[in-house]
Amino acid sequence: RDSESLTVLLGKGNKAFCYDGEWNHAVKNGMVVSAGYSISNGIGDIIRQKQKQMNSLKGKNGRTNLMLIIKATKEASYKNLMDALDEVLINDVKHYAVVDPEPGEVQFIENK
């Protein structure tokens, strides 16, 4: 998909999931991936992969169009939210928002 959005879902117990584009499409196609907070294979890596993909599709500065959406459940820790926001700064994400997750997203996280 040629989406400019990447969503990070934060749940309890340091759980995090990422998906590209629209929620229903991502779930239906098994594109919701588990992520962590480590330096390697964490949320930051997923952000950098998405930025690299956007550069290849849209030219050298395509990555600046990335819209990162951070959705923390009520059970997510404050530390995990701050870690996700740190990745915004580390990866020079220009557009981001912290919003409430949709009921389907909350249910997905609780079942994992």
Side-chain angles (χ1 to χ4, degrees):
R1 281 177 64 99
D2 189 13
S3 168
E4 293 184 345
S5 70
L6 178 67
T7 302
V8 178
L9 298 173
L10 308 177
K12 69 178 178 183
N14 295 326
K15 286 185 184 175
F17 298 90
C18 297
Y19 67 91
D20 202 357
E22 199 265 326
W23 170 249
N24 289 329
H25 180 268
V27 170
K28 188 170 74 173
N29 293 294
M31 297 167 53
V32 181
V33 296
S34 180
Y37 299 91
S38 64
I39 292 172
S40 61
N41 297 324
I43 293 169
D45 270 352
I46 294 171
I47 292 170
R48 287 185 290 279
Q49 288 171 10
K50 177 67 176 173
Q51 288 173 324
K52 187 175 178 184
Q53 173 194 8
M54 289 178 71
N55 276 348
S56 67
L57 291 172
K58 303 194 184 302
K60 187 176 79 163
N61 294 318
R63 68 187 293 273
T64 61
N65 293 330
L66 174 65
M67 177 64 192
L68 183 68
I69 303 165
I70 300 168
K71 296 184 176 186
T73 64
K74 291 182 180 7
E75 292 81 24
S77 72
Y78 181 76
K79 181 188 182 313
N80 288 163
L81 178 58
M82 291 300 101
D83 289 344
L85 287 168
D86 281 347
E87 293 296 345
V88 167
L89 293 174
I90 291 165
N91 294 293
D92 195 29
V93 175
K94 302 289 187 202
H95 311 284
Y96 67 96
V98 179
V99 298
D100 290 331
E102 297 295 322
E105 294 168 325
V106 173
Q107 187 177 12
F108 178 89
I109 291 174
E110 288 173 352
N111 291 332
K112 291 294 178 184

mmCIF file of all heavy atoms in Angstrom, residues 50-86:
data_model
loop_
_atom_site.group_PDB
_atom_site.id
_atom_site.type_symbol
_atom_site.label_atom_id
_atom_site.label_comp_id
_atom_site.label_asym_id
_atom_site.label_seq_id
_atom_site.Cartn_x
_atom_site.Cartn_y
_atom_site.Cartn_z
ATOM 1 N N LYS A 50 9.741 2.536 7.224
ATOM 2 C CA LYS A 50 8.655 3.251 6.537
ATOM 3 C C LYS A 50 9.194 4.503 5.841
ATOM 4 O O LYS A 50 8.839 4.793 4.698
ATOM 5 C CB LYS A 50 7.559 3.619 7.550
ATOM 6 C CG LYS A 50 6.414 4.416 6.964
ATOM 7 C CD LYS A 50 5.593 3.614 5.981
ATOM 8 C CE LYS A 50 4.400 4.445 5.497
ATOM 9 N NZ LYS A 50 3.676 3.783 4.440
ATOM 10 N N GLN A 51 10.079 5.242 6.528
ATOM 11 C CA GLN A 51 10.671 6.440 5.928
ATOM 12 C C GLN A 51 11.496 6.082 4.695
ATOM 13 O O GLN A 51 11.426 6.779 3.675
ATOM 14 C CB GLN A 51 11.545 7.166 6.956
ATOM 15 C CG GLN A 51 10.744 7.854 8.041
ATOM 16 C CD GLN A 51 11.630 8.418 9.131
ATOM 17 O OE1 GLN A 51 12.654 7.840 9.500
ATOM 18 N NE2 GLN A 51 11.224 9.560 9.670
ATOM 19 N N LYS A 52 12.243 4.999 4.772
ATOM 20 C CA LYS A 52 13.053 4.558 3.636
ATOM 21 C C LYS A 52 12.156 4.191 2.456
ATOM 22 O O LYS A 52 12.422 4.557 1.309
ATOM 23 C CB LYS A 52 13.908 3.358 4.065
ATOM 24 C CG LYS A 52 14.904 2.906 3.048
ATOM 25 C CD LYS A 52 15.771 1.796 3.620
ATOM 26 C CE LYS A 52 16.752 1.294 2.604
ATOM 27 N NZ LYS A 52 17.542 0.170 3.100
ATOM 28 N N GLN A 53 11.055 3.482 2.748
ATOM 29 C CA GLN A 53 10.094 3.111 1.714
ATOM 30 C C GLN A 53 9.496 4.366 1.067
ATOM 31 O O GLN A 53 9.354 4.445 -0.152
ATOM 32 C CB GLN A 53 9.000 2.249 2.341
ATOM 33 C CG GLN A 53 7.853 1.940 1.411
ATOM 34 C CD GLN A 53 6.646 1.383 2.156
ATOM 35 O OE1 GLN A 53 6.604 1.350 3.374
ATOM 36 N NE2 GLN A 53 5.656 0.961 1.410
ATOM 37 N N MET A 54 9.158 5.354 1.883
ATOM 38 C CA MET A 54 8.557 6.583 1.349
ATOM 39 C C MET A 54 9.554 7.361 0.500
ATOM 40 O O MET A 54 9.177 7.951 -0.506
ATOM 41 C CB MET A 54 8.018 7.449 2.494
ATOM 42 C CG MET A 54 6.775 6.831 3.139
ATOM 43 S SD MET A 54 6.144 7.778 4.517
ATOM 44 C CE MET A 54 5.482 9.212 3.656
ATOM 45 N N ASN A 55 10.822 7.355 0.883
ATOM 46 C CA ASN A 55 11.849 8.011 0.067
ATOM 47 C C ASN A 55 11.951 7.347 -1.295
ATOM 48 O O ASN A 55 12.078 8.030 -2.308
ATOM 49 C CB ASN A 55 13.205 7.971 0.759
ATOM 50 C CG ASN A 55 13.396 9.082 1.755
ATOM 51 O OD1 ASN A 55 12.622 10.031 1.809
ATOM 52 N ND2 ASN A 55 14.422 8.967 2.567
ATOM 53 N N SER A 56 11.894 6.014 -1.312
ATOM 54 C CA SER A 56 12.042 5.321 -2.598
ATOM 55 C C SER A 56 10.823 5.552 -3.492
ATOM 56 O O SER A 56 10.953 5.592 -4.704
ATOM 57 C CB SER A 56 12.295 3.832 -2.379
ATOM 58 O OG SER A 56 11.168 3.203 -1.835
ATOM 59 N N LEU A 57 9.645 5.730 -2.888
ATOM 60 C CA LEU A 57 8.435 5.951 -3.688
ATOM 61 C C LEU A 57 8.264 7.407 -4.117
ATOM 62 O O LEU A 57 7.745 7.691 -5.187
ATOM 63 C CB LEU A 57 7.192 5.537 -2.894
ATOM 64 C CG LEU A 57 7.014 4.049 -2.635
ATOM 65 C CD1 LEU A 57 5.845 3.821 -1.678
ATOM 66 C CD2 LEU A 57 6.790 3.313 -3.933
ATOM 67 N N LYS A 58 8.681 8.330 -3.269
ATOM 68 C CA LYS A 58 8.361 9.740 -3.498
ATOM 69 C C LYS A 58 9.588 10.642 -3.651
ATOM 70 O O LYS A 58 9.470 11.853 -3.624
ATOM 71 C CB LYS A 58 7.496 10.258 -2.346
ATOM 72 C CG LYS A 58 6.221 9.456 -2.154
ATOM 73 C CD LYS A 58 5.262 10.171 -1.271
ATOM 74 C CE LYS A 58 4.017 9.390 -0.974
ATOM 75 N NZ LYS A 58 3.239 8.972 -2.109
ATOM 76 N N GLY A 59 10.756 10.045 -3.762
ATOM 77 C CA GLY A 59 11.951 10.852 -3.914
ATOM 78 C C GLY A 59 12.658 11.081 -2.587
ATOM 79 O O GLY A 59 12.199 10.644 -1.532
ATOM 80 N N LYS A 60 13.768 11.799 -2.658
ATOM 81 C CA LYS A 60 14.683 11.950 -1.531
ATOM 82 C C LYS A 60 14.012 12.424 -0.247
ATOM 83 O O LYS A 60 14.345 11.967 0.841
ATOM 84 C CB LYS A 60 15.795 12.916 -1.925
ATOM 85 C CG LYS A 60 16.906 13.026 -0.909
ATOM 86 C CD LYS A 60 18.006 13.922 -1.398
ATOM 87 C CE LYS A 60 17.615 15.366 -1.214
ATOM 88 N NZ LYS A 60 18.700 16.308 -1.268
ATOM 89 N N ASN A 61 13.074 13.336 -0.315
ATOM 90 C CA ASN A 61 12.440 13.870 0.885
ATOM 91 C C ASN A 61 11.038 13.319 1.127
ATOM 92 O O ASN A 61 10.258 13.903 1.881
ATOM 93 C CB ASN A 61 12.404 15.403 0.826
ATOM 94 C CG ASN A 61 13.793 15.987 0.870
ATOM 95 O OD1 ASN A 61 14.635 15.535 1.633
ATOM 96 N ND2 ASN A 61 14.053 16.970 0.039
ATOM 97 N N GLY A 62 10.729 12.201 0.517
ATOM 98 C CA GLY A 62 9.426 11.591 0.702
ATOM 99 C C GLY A 62 9.132 11.269 2.152
ATOM 100 O O GLY A 62 7.987 11.313 2.601
ATOM 101 N N ARG A 63 10.183 10.971 2.905
ATOM 102 C CA ARG A 63 10.024 10.597 4.315
ATOM 103 C C ARG A 63 9.403 11.699 5.154
ATOM 104 O O ARG A 63 8.796 11.448 6.184
ATOM 105 C CB ARG A 63 11.375 10.193 4.902
ATOM 106 C CG ARG A 63 12.345 11.363 5.013
ATOM 107 C CD ARG A 63 13.750 10.932 5.428
ATOM 108 N NE ARG A 63 13.846 10.422 6.768
ATOM 109 C CZ ARG A 63 14.037 11.181 7.846
ATOM 110 N NH1 ARG A 63 14.163 12.479 7.725
ATOM 111 N NH2 ARG A 63 14.119 10.636 9.032
ATOM 112 N N THR A 64 9.531 12.954 4.709
ATOM 113 C CA THR A 64 9.000 14.062 5.508
ATOM 114 C C THR A 64 7.472 14.092 5.497
ATOM 115 O O THR A 64 6.865 14.787 6.301
ATOM 116 C CB THR A 64 9.545 15.426 5.027
ATOM 117 O OG1 THR A 64 9.140 15.624 3.678
ATOM 118 C CG2 THR A 64 11.053 15.489 5.147
ATOM 119 N N ASN A 65 6.846 13.334 4.583
ATOM 120 C CA ASN A 65 5.386 13.276 4.521
ATOM 121 C C ASN A 65 4.787 12.270 5.495
ATOM 122 O O ASN A 65 3.575 12.179 5.614
ATOM 123 C CB ASN A 65 4.928 12.923 3.100
ATOM 124 C CG ASN A 65 5.251 14.012 2.117
ATOM 125 O OD1 ASN A 65 5.288 15.182 2.459
ATOM 126 N ND2 ASN A 65 5.520 13.621 0.890
ATOM 127 N N LEU A 66 5.630 11.497 6.176
ATOM 128 C CA LEU A 66 5.133 10.483 7.103
ATOM 129 C C LEU A 66 4.262 11.098 8.193
ATOM 130 O O LEU A 66 4.631 12.097 8.814
ATOM 131 C CB LEU A 66 6.302 9.738 7.755
ATOM 132 C CG LEU A 66 5.915 8.749 8.867
ATOM 133 C CD1 LEU A 66 5.080 7.604 8.313
ATOM 134 C CD2 LEU A 66 7.159 8.211 9.553
ATOM 135 N N MET A 67 3.095 10.500 8.400
ATOM 136 C CA MET A 67 2.214 10.870 9.514
ATOM 137 C C MET A 67 2.231 9.711 10.495
ATOM 138 O O MET A 67 1.729 8.628 10.191
ATOM 139 C CB MET A 67 0.787 11.130 9.011
ATOM 140 C CG MET A 67 -0.191 11.458 10.117
ATOM 141 S SD MET A 67 0.262 12.997 10.939
ATOM 142 C CE MET A 67 -0.797 12.939 12.357
ATOM 143 N N LEU A 68 2.850 9.930 11.653
ATOM 144 C CA LEU A 68 2.925 8.910 12.691
ATOM 145 C C LEU A 68 1.786 9.133 13.674
ATOM 146 O O LEU A 68 1.632 10.227 14.219
ATOM 147 C CB LEU A 68 4.270 8.973 13.414
ATOM 148 C CG LEU A 68 4.483 7.902 14.476
ATOM 149 C CD1 LEU A 68 4.603 6.533 13.828
ATOM 150 C CD2 LEU A 68 5.722 8.207 15.299
ATOM 151 N N ILE A 69 0.994 8.095 13.874
ATOM 152 C CA ILE A 69 -0.138 8.174 14.794
ATOM 153 C C ILE A 69 0.158 7.250 15.969
ATOM 154 O O ILE A 69 0.334 6.039 15.775
ATOM 155 C CB ILE A 69 -1.445 7.760 14.088
ATOM 156 C CG1 ILE A 69 -1.666 8.640 12.851
ATOM 157 C CG2 ILE A 69 -2.622 7.852 15.056
ATOM 158 C CD1 ILE A 69 -2.699 8.104 11.890
ATOM 159 N N ILE A 70 0.234 7.822 17.148
ATOM 160 C CA ILE A 70 0.511 7.050 18.355
ATOM 161 C C ILE A 70 -0.804 6.911 19.121
ATOM 162 O O ILE A 70 -1.441 7.908 19.447
ATOM 163 C CB ILE A 70 1.581 7.735 19.229
ATOM 164 C CG1 ILE A 70 2.880 7.887 18.444
ATOM 165 C CG2 ILE A 70 1.806 6.953 20.519
ATOM 166 C CD1 ILE A 70 3.904 8.791 19.105
ATOM 167 N N LYS A 71 -1.195 5.663 19.368
ATOM 168 C CA LYS A 71 -2.445 5.393 20.075
ATOM 169 C C LYS A 71 -2.129 4.563 21.310
ATOM 170 O O LYS A 71 -1.751 3.396 21.195
ATOM 171 C CB LYS A 71 -3.426 4.644 19.169
ATOM 172 C CG LYS A 71 -3.862 5.450 17.956
ATOM 173 C CD LYS A 71 -4.895 4.693 17.153
ATOM 174 C CE LYS A 71 -5.423 5.523 15.988
ATOM 175 N NZ LYS A 71 -6.525 4.836 15.294
ATOM 176 N N ALA A 72 -2.283 5.169 22.478
ATOM 177 C CA ALA A 72 -1.987 4.484 23.736
ATOM 178 C C ALA A 72 -3.295 4.098 24.425
ATOM 179 O O ALA A 72 -4.172 4.943 24.613
ATOM 180 C CB ALA A 72 -1.163 5.390 24.640
ATOM 181 N N THR A 73 -3.410 2.820 24.783
ATOM 182 C CA THR A 73 -4.580 2.397 25.560
ATOM 183 C C THR A 73 -4.436 2.947 26.973
ATOM 184 O O THR A 73 -3.363 3.397 27.381
ATOM 185 C CB THR A 73 -4.688 0.862 25.620
ATOM 186 O OG1 THR A 73 -3.561 0.346 26.328
ATOM 187 C CG2 THR A 73 -4.765 0.248 24.230
ATOM 188 N N LYS A 74 -5.516 2.864 27.734
ATOM 189 C CA LYS A 74 -5.486 3.351 29.121
ATOM 190 C C LYS A 74 -4.523 2.531 29.978
ATOM 191 O O LYS A 74 -4.031 3.008 30.992
ATOM 192 C CB LYS A 74 -6.887 3.323 29.722
ATOM 193 C CG LYS A 74 -7.809 4.348 29.094
ATOM 194 C CD LYS A 74 -9.183 4.342 29.725
ATOM 195 C CE LYS A 74 -10.159 5.340 29.160
ATOM 196 N NZ LYS A 74 -9.840 6.114 28.021
ATOM 197 N N GLU A 75 -4.227 1.301 29.557
ATOM 198 C CA GLU A 75 -3.322 0.429 30.305
ATOM 199 C C GLU A 75 -1.850 0.633 29.929
ATOM 200 O O GLU A 75 -0.968 0.099 30.579
ATOM 201 C CB GLU A 75 -3.686 -1.047 30.094
ATOM 202 C CG GLU A 75 -5.008 -1.457 30.700
ATOM 203 C CD GLU A 75 -6.195 -1.083 29.818
ATOM 204 O OE1 GLU A 75 -6.012 -0.942 28.596
ATOM 205 O OE2 GLU A 75 -7.300 -0.906 30.367
ATOM 206 N N ALA A 76 -1.583 1.381 28.867
ATOM 207 C CA ALA A 76 -0.192 1.622 28.449
ATOM 208 C C ALA A 76 0.504 2.488 29.497
ATOM 209 O O ALA A 76 -0.106 3.360 30.102
ATOM 210 C CB ALA A 76 -0.162 2.306 27.091
ATOM 211 N N SER A 77 1.783 2.235 29.675
ATOM 212 C CA SER A 77 2.523 3.015 30.672
ATOM 213 C C SER A 77 2.932 4.372 30.094
ATOM 214 O O SER A 77 3.112 4.531 28.889
ATOM 215 C CB SER A 77 3.768 2.247 31.130
ATOM 216 O OG SER A 77 4.745 2.237 30.114
ATOM 217 N N TYR A 78 3.080 5.312 30.997
ATOM 218 C CA TYR A 78 3.554 6.643 30.617
ATOM 219 C C TYR A 78 4.941 6.534 29.984
ATOM 220 O O TYR A 78 5.241 7.201 29.002
ATOM 221 C CB TYR A 78 3.586 7.542 31.861
ATOM 222 C CG TYR A 78 4.034 8.951 31.585
ATOM 223 C CD1 TYR A 78 3.183 9.861 30.980
ATOM 224 C CD2 TYR A 78 5.314 9.367 31.933
ATOM 225 C CE1 TYR A 78 3.593 11.159 30.716
ATOM 226 C CE2 TYR A 78 5.726 10.664 31.681
ATOM 227 C CZ TYR A 78 4.867 11.556 31.078
ATOM 228 O OH TYR A 78 5.283 12.838 30.821
ATOM 229 N N LYS A 79 5.783 5.666 30.537
ATOM 230 C CA LYS A 79 7.139 5.476 30.003
ATOM 231 C C LYS A 79 7.082 5.023 28.545
ATOM 232 O O LYS A 79 7.841 5.514 27.707
ATOM 233 C CB LYS A 79 7.911 4.453 30.838
ATOM 234 C CG LYS A 79 9.336 4.243 30.337
ATOM 235 C CD LYS A 79 10.003 3.093 31.047
ATOM 236 C CE LYS A 79 11.431 2.888 30.606
ATOM 237 N NZ LYS A 79 11.675 2.885 29.178
ATOM 238 N N ASN A 80 6.181 4.074 28.235
ATOM 239 C CA ASN A 80 6.086 3.602 26.848
ATOM 240 C C ASN A 80 5.645 4.720 25.910
ATOM 241 O O ASN A 80 6.144 4.822 24.785
ATOM 242 C CB ASN A 80 5.135 2.419 26.742
ATOM 243 C CG ASN A 80 5.693 1.134 27.329
ATOM 244 O OD1 ASN A 80 4.952 0.205 27.600
ATOM 245 N ND2 ASN A 80 6.990 1.058 27.551
ATOM 246 N N LEU A 81 4.722 5.569 26.363
ATOM 247 C CA LEU A 81 4.302 6.704 25.547
ATOM 248 C C LEU A 81 5.483 7.649 25.315
ATOM 249 O O LEU A 81 5.716 8.103 24.196
ATOM 250 C CB LEU A 81 3.138 7.442 26.207
ATOM 251 C CG LEU A 81 2.639 8.685 25.472
ATOM 252 C CD1 LEU A 81 2.200 8.362 24.050
ATOM 253 C CD2 LEU A 81 1.513 9.339 26.254
ATOM 254 N N MET A 82 6.257 7.906 26.363
ATOM 255 C CA MET A 82 7.432 8.784 26.218
ATOM 256 C C MET A 82 8.477 8.154 25.296
ATOM 257 O O MET A 82 9.098 8.849 24.494
ATOM 258 C CB MET A 82 8.054 9.099 27.581
ATOM 259 C CG MET A 82 7.197 9.988 28.472
ATOM 260 S SD MET A 82 6.854 11.607 27.736
ATOM 261 C CE MET A 82 5.196 11.388 27.139
ATOM 262 N N ASP A 83 8.642 6.839 25.386
ATOM 263 C CA ASP A 83 9.581 6.146 24.490
ATOM 264 C C ASP A 83 9.140 6.292 23.034
ATOM 265 O O ASP A 83 9.972 6.514 22.142
ATOM 266 C CB ASP A 83 9.683 4.659 24.856
ATOM 267 C CG ASP A 83 10.419 4.416 26.162
ATOM 268 O OD1 ASP A 83 11.121 5.335 26.644
ATOM 269 O OD2 ASP A 83 10.292 3.308 26.714
ATOM 270 N N ALA A 84 7.845 6.170 22.786
ATOM 271 C CA ALA A 84 7.330 6.332 21.415
ATOM 272 C C ALA A 84 7.550 7.765 20.935
ATOM 273 O O ALA A 84 7.950 7.996 19.786
ATOM 274 C CB ALA A 84 5.855 5.957 21.351
ATOM 275 N N LEU A 85 7.306 8.742 21.817
ATOM 276 C CA LEU A 85 7.525 10.146 21.443
ATOM 277 C C LEU A 85 9.015 10.437 21.238
ATOM 278 O O LEU A 85 9.365 11.264 20.395
ATOM 279 C CB LEU A 85 6.924 11.079 22.496
ATOM 280 C CG LEU A 85 5.399 11.148 22.469
ATOM 281 C CD1 LEU A 85 4.871 11.857 23.710
ATOM 282 C CD2 LEU A 85 4.896 11.819 21.215
ATOM 283 N N ASP A 86 9.882 9.756 21.971
ATOM 284 C CA ASP A 86 11.323 9.897 21.742
ATOM 285 C C ASP A 86 11.677 9.493 20.318
ATOM 286 O O ASP A 86 12.534 10.116 19.683
ATOM 287 C CB ASP A 86 12.133 9.035 22.726
ATOM 288 C CG ASP A 86 12.263 9.654 24.100
ATOM 289 O OD1 ASP A 86 11.940 10.858 24.255
ATOM 290 O OD2 ASP A 86 12.682 8.935 25.032
#
